[in-house]
Amino acid sequence: MAFHHKILGIVTLLYLCLFFIHLIFFAFKKEKIVAVMWPLLYGTLGLHTVGLILRWLESYRHGMGHAPLSNFYESLVFYAWCVSLIVVFMKKRLNYPAITVCATVISLFLMGYASISPSVDRNIQPLVPALQSNWLHIHVLTCFLAYASFAVSFISGFLYMFTWKNVIPPRDILDEINYRSVVVGFPMLSAGIFTGAVWAHYAWGSYWSWDPKETWSLITWIVYAVFLHARLMRGWKGKKIAILSIVGFASVIFTYFGVNFILSGLHSYAT
Amino acid sequence: MNAIKNKAAEQVTPPGKSLFQSLQGFIASIKFSIILLTCIALGSIIGTIIKQGVGPDEYLSLYSEHTYQIINLLGLNDVYHSPWFIALLFLFAINLTLCTVRRFMPAFKGSKKASVPEESAMMDMSMSFRASTSIDDAHLFSILKGYRISYSGVEGKVFQKGVLSKYGVLFIHTSIMLILIGGFVGLVAGFKGFMVLHKGDTKNTITIGGEKPYEKPLGFSIKCKEFQVSFYPNGAPKDYVSTVEVIENGKIIFEKQIRVNEPLSYKGVHIYQASYGSAPSFTFTIGGERVSLREKEAYRNDNISLMPIRFEQDIHNFGPGIMVAYLEQGEPRTVWFVKNIERFNEKIIQGVPVRFVDIQENIYTGLSVSRDPGIWIVWAGFAFILFGLYINFFQYYRRIYIRNIAGGYLVAGIAIKNKEAFKKEFEMLREKLNGIPS
């Protein structure tokens, strides 16, 4: 077993630890526990980064040398990393255990699925010619940061549906977090689509081919454009916005997973 | 409040407003935008569920004949180029333009001149303070970093920052129009085709696909000098490289290696490495001369003319064979050559001994060729939209008023967006000027 696999295995266990620490907090409501949580999340994110870098270096040892962004396993691990990164980035706003526990569950699920599912190939694979481009890095980075921001938006929209005093943050705060995360995610998704289009122009000869992945990213983009207009122009708030953020994330999930498993197209690298 | 008012204004048609006017209002409304965007999204979803652009047989194997008729009628086999989808995009372009114009017209018609509000009005603002020390302009400018003066008079001054952010939406919407226009230009003035080249081949036309494929002249020729495919140890393809020459008017303009991700560009035409394949070529000795021919490639000399027309990997367990067509006394004939059987691999055709010697696999390169004059409009659209998104969401407009009053001055500030950040900034300003909250 390669070293980076061990590191990423530890990272998965750390996400599990984080999850349990949250549960202990919800049971005992001791503020001290929250004080442990953030440093642990920083540490986990740091080790996660180390794991990704080691995998990158390992690929050079195999004579392939490419960033760990090229197959389904790598994208799952990278998505989990992006979710943690966005949580750390938006720490001031997201400093509520109810939100961080949801983010932890998402990261844990992604890491767990990546390392346990028998249908996921965990080996470092060589890059097919279409992926041998520097656009790979910026395209995948922007797309997954967008997906991660939309995950945060989904968390706040989801939590909005419930009330639990002193655990779930007040509704107006959830509403604000929802909007703020879309404000981060929407430009990222736009950048992701545009870098993808420029890359497609150089690799496939056409910047837009209505490939299912492209089409679904456009659909996702439209959903969040409607979200922003509904909020900023029509003054939508609260439940309606929460529902829109859930619909938007469903579209994200379909763009990421659904297209790979159900529809086939030019983007079939990640299956 | 504002939102509710808008809603009411859109829904109720005041008396005296004609149907045409209310329709006009609807076309320029955000409600219509949301309806259109939803329709575009739904249409796009259909396009990803129903297989696009395949033949009738494939649809009939998936759907009933009745369903297929509906698919055909609505153009669901090619959603993204169907009239209704293009009409939706067109309506969206109109709606977007009208919405944007309606929103920004007042700003362009002549924005109100900034002025310092009355003392009482400034005191009523949620963010204001008074200071008693005197202040000179240089000091003020050094504190108000990034602010610009928009009004200066005896009674006071008005400073503002982030003016550009007011136009973020204008940038974004104009960019979307640019992208749509660029796409339209590409559709009308561009083309996309395909070219298959064996090693040594030269071609000056490309095949444009579609219902009736045709050959389109390029205006220059492409010669394939070399084509190589390399593989990783696990068998996955590593690199496809076509070495080609661009030839115009009989002169070699330049030579280039085309790889995936590294297209060739010449006179606005881009040539991409798209695919590769292999086709067998057949070696004959014709009257002692060694000749290599591909399927359907004719050979002619004074005595004989022939053409390999059909290749079979295995003929009745005798191994590979090729059917050759030739003319005998003006009559077309065919004969099978079987490579591994002595009796069948040599024939006398019109007195010339013809022997089938060898089969070679020849790889060929598939190049995709396109021209899109709208590309730079689209790229500009992308760049502007990102800039627009940045200034719209990460910059914000705020104004600071300073009014001279007896024994000092009064400072007030307003921001429409991002009030919490501005509050902090304003608090810092108050501390720096030793202000007293009013």
Side-chain angles (χ1 to χ4, degrees), chain A residues 127 130 132 194 199 201 234, chain B residues 3 7 232 238 261 272 385:
Chain A
L127 278 187
Q132 295 165 10
F194 299 157
W199 185 11
H201 171 74
R234 303 301 295 252
Chain B
K7 210 172 181 177
Y232 289 106
K238 186 178 183 181
N261 277 310
Y272 303 86
I385 210 172

Side-chain angles (χ1 to χ4, degrees), chain B residues 5-16:
Chain B
K5 261 190 210 158
N6 280 343
K7 210 172 181 177
E10 269 168 26
Q11 278 169 353
V12 183
T13 312

Side-chain angles (χ1 to χ4, degrees), chain B residues 115-363:
Chain B
S115 62
V116 188
E118 291 305 315
E119 194 178 330
S120 59
M122 281 177 69
M123 302 267 278
D124 286 343
M125 287 180 190
S126 62
M127 278 177 261
S128 67
F129 63 85
R130 54 173 72 240
S132 49
T133 49
S134 70
I135 186 164
D136 59 89
D137 280 2
H139 186 209
L140 207 54
F141 274 114
S142 72
I143 292 172
L144 292 170
K145 261 192 197 125
Y147 279 83
R148 281 182 191 192
I149 205 153
S150 79
Y151 171 81
S152 181
V154 274
E155 74 278 22
K157 291 185 177 68
V158 181
F159 290 87
Q160 57 182 9
K161 188 176 178 179
V163 182
L164 205 55
S165 76
K166 290 208 285 189
Y167 301 103
V169 171
L170 185 65
F171 267 103
I172 297 166
H173 287 181
T174 313
S175 315
I176 292 174
M177 285 305 295
L178 276 180
I179 295 170
L180 288 173
I181 291 168
F184 187 71
V185 168
L187 209 63
V188 173
F191 60 78
K192 191 167 164 74
F194 205 77
M195 181 190 257
V196 171
L197 288 175
H198 287 267
K199 196 172 144 184
D201 277 2
T202 307
K203 266 191 192 167
N204 60 2
T205 59
I206 56 166
T207 312
I208 308 275
E211 278 176 32
K212 285 184 200 145
Y214 64 95
E215 293 286 307
K216 182 187 169 74
L218 262 184
F220 55 88
S221 309
I222 299 290
K223 180 179 180 179
C224 176
K225 289 183 72 179
E226 186 67 67
F227 177 66
Q228 278 170 332
V229 189
S230 54
F231 296 91
Y232 289 106
N234 74 350
K238 186 178 183 181
D239 205 5
Y240 315 132
V241 196
S242 303
T243 310
V244 301
E245 276 175 356
V246 176
I247 301 166
E248 196 176 16
N249 300 327
K251 267 190 288 189
I252 297 168
I253 310 291
F254 61 89
E255 184 185 310
K256 189 182 174 352
Q257 291 192 328
I258 304 176
R259 287 187 156 86
V260 182
N261 277 310
E262 286 173 32
L264 176 158
S265 296
Y266 184 63
K267 293 201 164 168
V269 177
H270 300 281
I271 301 174
Y272 303 86
Q273 186 64 55
S275 62
Y276 72 95
S278 70
S281 75
F282 313 99
T283 311
F284 295 91
T285 50
I286 303 175
E289 183 194 0
R290 233 179 132 84
V291 178
S292 187
L293 295 171
R294 283 200 294 269
E295 221 169 79
K296 309 236 161 59
E297 188 182 359
Y299 172 83
R300 224 170 253 124
N301 68 14
D302 296 341
N303 307 321
I304 186 172
S305 78
L306 60 79
M307 179 198 273
I309 54 171
R310 195 173 130 206
F311 174 65
E312 290 290 339
Q313 277 299 344
D314 198 22
I315 297 168
H316 300 296
N317 296 329
F318 289 136
I322 180 85
M323 188 195 258
V324 172
Y326 61 97
L327 286 175
E328 192 159 288
Q329 286 147 7
E331 288 287 309
R333 306 249 164 148
T334 60
V335 62
W336 278 97
F337 284 84
V338 182
K339 191 185 145 218
N340 302 335
I341 310 285
E342 199 67 32
R343 219 149 38 91
F344 293 127
N345 66 8
E346 188 162 1
K347 291 262 156 52
I348 310 281
I349 296 175
Q350 294 197 301
V352 181
V354 177
R355 194 182 156 88
F356 179 28
V357 188
D358 200 9
I359 306 170
Q360 281 171 317
E361 279 297 309
N362 282 351
I363 46 176

